Amino acid sequence: MDTAPQSTRPRTGRHPVVVPLGDLDAGDLALAGGKAANLGELIGAGFPVPDGFCVTTDAYAELAEAAGLADLLDDPAADLARTARERILAAPVPASVAEAVAAAYAELGESVPVAVRSSATAEDLPFASFAGQQDTYLDVVGTDAVLDAVHRCWASLWTDRAVVYRARNGVDSATTRLAVVVQRMVDAAVAGVMFTANPVTGRRTETVVDAAPGLGEAVVSGSVDPDHVVLDSTTGAVLERRPGGGREACLTDGQLRELVRLGARVQEHYGRPQDTEWAIDAAGTLWLTQARPVTTLFPVPQGGAGDGGLRVWFCASLAQGLTRPLTPMGISVFQVVGGSVQRLAGLPPADPVAGSPRVRAAAGRLFFDVTTIVRSTAGRAIFPRLLDVMEARSAVVLRELFDDPRLSLVHRSWLPVVRRLARVAARYGVPLQVVQALVRPAAARRRVDRVGARLRARRLPGDEAPAAERYDAVLGLLGDAMPAVAPRVLPPAAAGFAAWGLAGKLLGDAARPGELGTVLRGLPHNVTTEMDLGLWRLATAVRADEPSAAAVRGGTPADLAERYRSGALPAVLQRGLRVFLARYGIRAVAEIDVGVPRWAEDPAHLLGVLGNYLRLDDPDRAPDVVFARSVAEAEDVVATLTARARLRGRARGAVVGLALDRTRQLAGLRELPKYDLVLVLDRVRTLLTSIGADLASDGVLARADDVFFLSLAEVRDALDDGRPLRDVVTERRRSHEREMARRHVPRVLLSDGTEPEAVSAGPAVAEGALVGTAASAGTMTGRARVVLEPTGAHLEPGEVLVAPSTDPGWTPLFLTAGGLVMEMGGANSHGAVVAREYGIPAVVGVPGATSRLATGQEVTVDGTRGVVTAGAAPD
């Protein structure tokens, strides 16, 4: 197959409104828009791109001024999209623009067919392609027809879909302009699209080609059934081929290999996978008609520990119930903690500031390199079992990797793992803690409470101390206090769940479905449950005080928070909120991220939840009543199960009764390690904020909280050299905001880009049902309320909360929810435990729940079988 020559047309000087494509490059985004700038870049790099010219954004600006768009953008009451289109189409094309376009078109040849394509400044960007948002016109012939198509392309900047898409991606329509590409048509025998990475599985080692006879626009628009071919990006070998439309394949193997080579060159030029459009003419010449970044691929974490082979990355963010991105400092903190844990486990020490190479970020999410775990006998036995109760779907995905020959067993001996665990257990007296907890549970609870008390009492340098001293205090908290929390606090809770498991084994089929789960309802000594009920008690006090109730009902959460900070709320509300925050103000939504403000800093979320609580009028649904009912149900089941076990033997009955009693006394402590970790993070945040204030006063940062968009290593360097970092922070804030909109985050990711969950068949789903993990027994039917972000969420009493995941910052919403459906989690994940304690039927680990269910849709949650059924979607 021939490769088209680069254009030999001499480059001319730039016209104010028309520029030859060959005179453009990637730096001309503002002048030519994304599509034209990319085409110019490709021409300059020697790629086979059809000849043409660009009607620049200056031409659009002339027309927009004549159409009075500036006045329209200033009018908040205007129907922006429709009115802007009408004004642009009503305004004549400026004479100077028409003359320049006519002259440039004449240079292409007499009556030559051209493609007229929109090229917006917000288009083909690294974070959003904006593909198909503006119009394209093909086989346009003649000067008048070209001018008409250019005019209609300008108007298409203001289609409803384009305006909505820009808003969703945080792009200001007022600053967006449109250029237009006029390009010689390729008389295509076959055409289509090519991705230089597999957009479905994420594999960077595969190239995907969709092709059909004729123009490529039919493939892009989806109006034909194309040939679909997956190829090895290195060899060009066909891995998968699906002919389209029952016809013969429209590309030969030789043409496919040539396409793969072209795609590899384009990807190498841009340094990242590309979504390209191409065409082959009747003479067999291959033309490249477009290239843009593939924006849907999840980025692969860089680095890791090992030999450089295939790595397995596990998303720790999702395991902690967090779908949103962490701040750069939030990532850095866990890298340092990871290094400390590594040292604690007797592994090679990590850099005390850079942290562990096994902890990395991608798209602002936290990933752990679990390759060694996957390739070891002990890891395969232990890690998925832990995930079974925390994040069950991740366990399924990991187990499917065990058959991959690239991840075969390497570490077969249990001895190194046993030695490390024994070292940690001996250092913190874990066996003794477990025995003490089972024998004297009250004493065990007092001991773990002292851990938190010591963390609160730990002396730290104040704002008057040198910044370097405060920085060292941060490293001290992350290096010794935080890694020690779990081995000092978790054993009693683990003993409680072990007792629960023992009871289940002794009971066998004597325990009916859902009964053992009921034992975990209304657990005492759960710090998160105590927090939620404390907030309900505050709501009860507010309801009884008319000025406070009127303030909550009549003000926005943000305004109420500002009044709280100034001490201007009604006395009952002001005092009650102050008392609540003194105990729980260290918490927040996404609280594992040290960069997120705590509730003590901004209580707006809590004030919004109080407003939800005041709408709860049914006394039987009052959270304290529901919780008390859950306690009674659990105690009744304990008595029933103990009696059944006694029928099989007095000793068995005694052991089951003791085990279930210890479950009730100890299992509620499972939330305490997380609470104490958040307590450490709160102290770290206070120190970093004070360091940020110093850096802001020195001009390094614009404001104190900018410090959370740096890493710990960068803070250290800034303290040493005082180099301004304002531009760095600005760009990272923008990137963070863009990532907030990302919905899809893989549970597991391979270093070649593969998302194993996308490759696997996924869990079996019955007709019309969503299947997940049974988390809290019971069945209820109600209206769904899909909530992606809890701050400011409105949840009517009795609605089914449908969420991507939850952490303790979400749980105040549970008090009025009738049921819970989560995309993430396992039977003992945070959301599952809290749902059980409130007696809310819950199903977790339901793939795609927030996109497959809609707010207002009637759903039935069967928390005993782990099934969610949905009625018709609302209009």
Side-chain angles (χ1 to χ4, degrees):
M1 176 170 52
D2 297 332
T3 299
Q6 183 182 350
S7 171
T8 58
R9 176 176 45 74
R11 296 188 176 192
T12 61
R14 290 190 174 185
H15 188 282
V17 292
V18 172
V19 178
L21 288 178
D23 283 2
L24 299 169
D25 59 33
D28 289 313
L29 179 66
L31 177 73
K35 188 180 284 92
N38 267 347
L39 290 171
E41 177 76 15
L42 292 168
I43 291 172
F47 288 99
V49 176
D51 201 5
F53 60 88
C54 171
V55 185
T56 70
T57 56
D58 290 343
Y60 169 81
E62 281 190 40
L63 185 85
E65 183 177 4
L69 287 197
D71 296 338
L72 179 63
L73 292 169
D74 291 335
D75 181 4
D79 181 350
L80 184 60
R82 179 183 59 80
T83 309
R85 289 197 307 272
E86 291 175 351
R87 289 191 182 186
I88 286 175
L89 291 173
V93 176
S96 60
V97 174
E99 291 172 6
V101 170
Y105 176 64
E107 287 187 24
L108 293 179
E110 184 176 352
S111 298
V112 62
V114 293
V116 181
R117 309 163 77 191
S118 303
S119 178
T121 52
E123 184 173 282
D124 294 354
L125 302 177
F127 61 89
S129 72
F130 290 78
Q133 297 307 310
Q134 285 81 225
D135 288 348
T136 289
Y137 300 95
L138 303 178
D139 270 328
V140 181
V141 178
T143 301
D144 290 343
V146 169
L147 285 170
D148 179 63
V150 168
H151 202 169
R152 284 184 284 161
C153 281
W154 285 333
S156 74
L157 183 64
W158 297 99
T159 61
D160 293 336
R161 67 176 184 272
V163 171
V164 170
Y165 191 87
R166 288 195 293 273
R168 287 178 178 171
N169 283 275
V171 175
D172 185 0
S173 286
T175 63
T176 304
R177 293 184 174 187
L178 189 82
V180 181
V181 173
V182 179
Q183 196 174 20
R184 187 189 302 271
M185 283 288 298
V186 175
D187 184 13
V190 59
V193 299
M194 171 173 58
F195 289 84
T196 64
N198 193 318
V200 175
T201 66
R203 286 177 180 150
R204 270 61 164 183
T205 56
E206 295 177 351
T207 297
V208 178
V209 174
D210 283 354
L215 298 177
E217 186 66 21
V219 176
V220 175
S221 66
S223 61
V224 298
D225 182 18
D227 290 5
H228 177 78
V229 189
V230 180
L231 305 108
D232 185 290
S233 296
T234 302
T235 65
V238 175
L239 305 176
E240 175 189 341
R241 189 197 300 264
R242 187 182 67 238
R247 59 174 178 271
E248 293 292 323
C250 58
L251 289 173
T252 67
D253 286 355
Q255 288 174 322
L256 286 167
R257 287 192 294 270
E258 188 66 19
L259 274 168
V260 169
R261 286 193 290 270
L262 177 63
R265 286 175 54 209
V266 176
Q267 177 170 301
E268 182 180 11
H269 178 76
Y270 284 105
R272 61 179 296 175
Q274 297 290 302
D275 166 8
T276 67
E277 297 178 24
W278 53 270
I280 299 173
D281 64 20
T285 302
L286 171 62
W287 297 90
L288 184 63
T289 58
Q290 188 163 322
R292 61 167 73 92
V294 181
T295 59
T296 57
L297 293 174
F298 196 89
V300 178
Q302 299 301 306
D307 56 9
L310 187 70
R311 314 304 300 170
V312 182
W313 292 97
F314 170 73
C315 187
S317 289
L318 290 184
Q320 282 297 310
L322 195 62
T323 54
R324 60 184 283 170
L326 275 69
T327 58
M329 183 61 73
I331 296 289
S332 182
V333 159
F334 276 98
Q335 288 174 327
V336 171
V337 172
S340 302
V341 172
Q342 193 170 307
R343 184 177 64 253
L344 183 67
L347 296 169
D351 185 292
V353 177
S356 173
R358 291 177 169 83
V359 183
R360 285 291 179 262
R365 277 74 179 183
L366 194 66
F367 282 83
F368 291 168
D369 182 351
V370 296
T371 312
T372 302
I373 292 173
V374 169
R375 305 194 72 171
S376 73
T377 302
R380 290 186 175 191
I382 297 172
F383 190 52
R385 283 187 172 88
L386 292 175
L387 292 177
D388 282 335
V389 297
M390 290 173 52
E391 218 301 288
R393 181 63 189 154
S394 294
V396 173
V397 174
L398 278 174
R399 287 188 175 105
E400 290 174 349
L401 292 178
F402 295 167
D403 295 328
D404 190 326
R406 299 171 299 172
L407 297 168
S408 58
L409 281 172
V410 173
H411 311 285
R412 296 181 179 275
S413 173
W414 277 76
L415 190 58
V417 175
V418 172
R419 283 175 175 166
R420 292 189 187 107
L421 292 176
R423 183 184 298 115
V424 174
R427 177 173 178 176
Y428 292 100
V430 171
L432 183 61
Q433 290 185 58
V434 170
V435 172
Q436 181 199 41
L438 292 172
V439 175
R440 299 176 59 201
R445 292 196 299 269
R446 289 193 295 271
R447 186 190 59 77
V448 295
D449 284 343
R450 287 195 293 271
V451 174
R454 285 194 294 270
L455 289 173
R456 287 181 181 273
R458 181 166 173 153
R459 292 180 61 84
L460 298 176
D463 293 352
E464 72 285 350
E469 184 179 339
R470 282 172 275 151
Y471 181 84
D472 289 341
V474 168
L475 295 184
L477 286 167
L478 300 178
D480 62 68
M482 199 161 176
V485 165
R488 285 176 173 157
V489 180
L490 189 57
F497 279 102
W500 182 62
L502 174 63
K505 287 187 176 299
L506 292 174
L507 284 162
D509 59 7
R512 296 166 187 161
E515 285 186 325
L516 276 172
T518 301
V519 172
L520 299 177
R521 286 187 175 178
L523 287 173
H525 317 302
N526 184 316
V527 66
T528 301
T529 306
E530 292 167 353
M531 175 190 75
D532 295 341
L533 293 174
L535 190 60
W536 172 252
R537 287 191 293 272
L538 174 57
T540 302
V542 167
R543 187 194 299 271
D545 181 67
E546 184 54 38
S548 296
V552 171
R553 291 189 176 108
T556 68
D559 290 341
L560 292 170
E562 184 58 38
R563 290 175 63 189
Y564 170 76
R565 285 188 286 266
S566 63
L569 288 175
V572 170
L573 178 56
Q574 182 79 26
R575 182 173 58 253
L577 192 56
R578 184 175 66 249
V579 170
F580 180 87
L581 292 174
R583 178 73 173 91
Y584 302 109
I586 64 171
R587 311 217 75 160
V589 176
E591 61 192 4
I592 67 167
D593 184 358
V594 73
V596 171
R598 310 290 107 170
W599 285 340
E601 301 170 62
D602 182 7
H605 172 57
L606 295 177
L607 289 158
V609 172
L610 284 175
N612 284 342
Y613 286 0
L614 294 186
R615 289 194 292 272
L616 183 56
D617 296 323
D618 183 353
D620 284 339
R621 291 197 55 80
D624 52 353
V625 174
V626 171
F627 185 76
R629 193 157 54 235
S630 295
V631 172
E633 290 172 358
E635 292 175 348
D636 286 346
V637 168
V638 167
T640 299
L641 293 176
T642 302
R644 286 190 202 146
R646 195 175 293 118
L647 294 175
R648 299 186 176 187
R650 183 174 299 177
R652 183 185 294 257
V655 174
V656 167
L658 180 64
L660 294 178
D661 174 77
R662 294 306 188 254
T663 298
R664 297 285 302 165
Q665 293 204 51
L666 297 171
L669 296 175
R670 78 169 298 280
E671 292 285 306
L672 194 57
K674 174 78 172 292
Y675 179 83
D676 285 346
L677 290 174
V678 171
L679 175 57
V680 177
L681 289 177
D682 179 68
R683 308 215 71 190
V684 168
R685 180 176 170 83
T686 299
L687 288 167
L688 287 172
T689 301
S690 72
I691 294 171
D694 289 353
L695 293 174
S697 67
D698 292 340
V700 176
L701 302 175
R703 61 187 203 227
D705 66 348
D706 282 350
V707 73
F708 298 109
F709 287 84
L710 304 176
S711 68
L712 283 164
E714 288 169 330
V715 170
R716 178 195 58 192
D717 293 343
L719 291 174
D720 289 341
D721 59 31
R723 179 172 58 89
L725 295 169
R726 294 185 177 205
D727 291 344
V728 171
V729 168
T730 297
E731 179 50 40
R732 287 181 183 173
R733 282 188 180 274
R734 287 177 184 151
S735 177
H736 186 76
E737 285 301 313
R738 288 195 295 265
E739 282 298 333
M740 289 288 284
R742 187 188 291 272
R743 293 288 302 277
H744 171 67
V745 180
R747 289 172 164 87
V748 178
L749 190 64
L750 303 187
S751 55
D752 67 355
T754 303
E755 296 185 22
E757 190 172 15
V759 177
S760 69
V765 178
E767 183 73 26
L770 287 69
V771 177
T773 299
S776 180
T779 301
M780 69 82 59
T781 299
R783 289 188 309 165
R785 174 73 64 172
V786 178
V787 178
L788 303 178
E789 167 59 45
T791 303
H794 174 80
L795 189 70
E796 291 291 341
E799 289 184 325
V800 176
L801 174 61
V802 182
S805 59
T806 65
D807 67 5
W810 286 72
T811 59
L813 294 174
F814 284 32
L815 293 184
T816 55
L820 173 68
V821 178
M822 288 192 341
E823 291 182 338
M824 312 303 299
N828 276 330
S829 61
H830 166 79
V833 169
V834 177
R836 281 196 298 270
E837 295 189 3
Y838 292 151
I840 302 170
V843 180
V844 302
V846 180
T850 59
S851 57
R852 297 165 68 187
L853 298 175
T855 293
Q857 187 173 10
E858 186 174 274
V859 298
T860 298
V861 181
D862 185 340
T864 305
R865 296 191 303 125
V867 176
V868 180
T869 54
D875 293 334

